[in-house]
Amino acid sequence: AKLAKLNLTEEEIIRFTSQLTEVLNFVEKINRVETKDTPPLFNVAGKQNIMREDVVRPSLTQEEALANAKETYKGYFKVKAVLG
């Protein structure tokens, strides 16, 4: 929540902590399942090569893309550092 800059109430922190614990406990159960003789499954739908062609199309200008930016610097988005 801190990294995502979420303002959570004490009640939300307690609820989400409980939910996260449940998720982590479930992942732990999954990790204990023996899968040594199970072949990997990469695609459950059976579809292949469904990607579209990579075609250059008109897009936003740099000015349009930056129009609603809180801060810019020399034509780029300016954001606070996320790695400390």
Side-chain angles (χ1 to χ4, degrees):
K2 183 179 177 183
L3 289 175
K5 297 184 180 183
L6 299 176
N7 295 320
L8 300 178
T9 65
E10 195 63 35
E11 179 183 296
E12 290 171 324
I13 291 172
I14 292 168
R15 181 169 23 114
F16 295 150
T17 300
S18 172
Q19 290 174 352
L20 181 58
T21 300
E22 288 179 32
V23 169
L24 293 175
N25 288 337
F26 185 72
V27 170
E28 185 179 324
K29 283 182 183 180
I30 292 173
N31 283 335
R32 289 194 302 249
V33 174
E34 181 56 56
T35 59
K36 185 177 85 174
D37 297 324
T38 305
L41 180 63
F42 297 104
N43 185 342
V44 296
K47 295 182 179 180
Q48 295 181 352
N49 300 324
I50 59 170
M51 301 295 237
R52 65 171 171 77
E53 288 291 320
D54 190 10
V55 179
V56 177
R57 302 185 315 202
S59 185
L60 297 176
T61 65
Q62 186 174 13
E63 185 178 280
E64 291 169 329
L66 296 172
N68 292 320
K70 187 174 180 180
E71 289 186 63
T72 62
Y73 177 75
K74 295 185 178 181
Y76 295 95
F77 291 98
K78 183 176 180 181
V79 297
K80 292 182 182 179
V82 292
L83 301 174

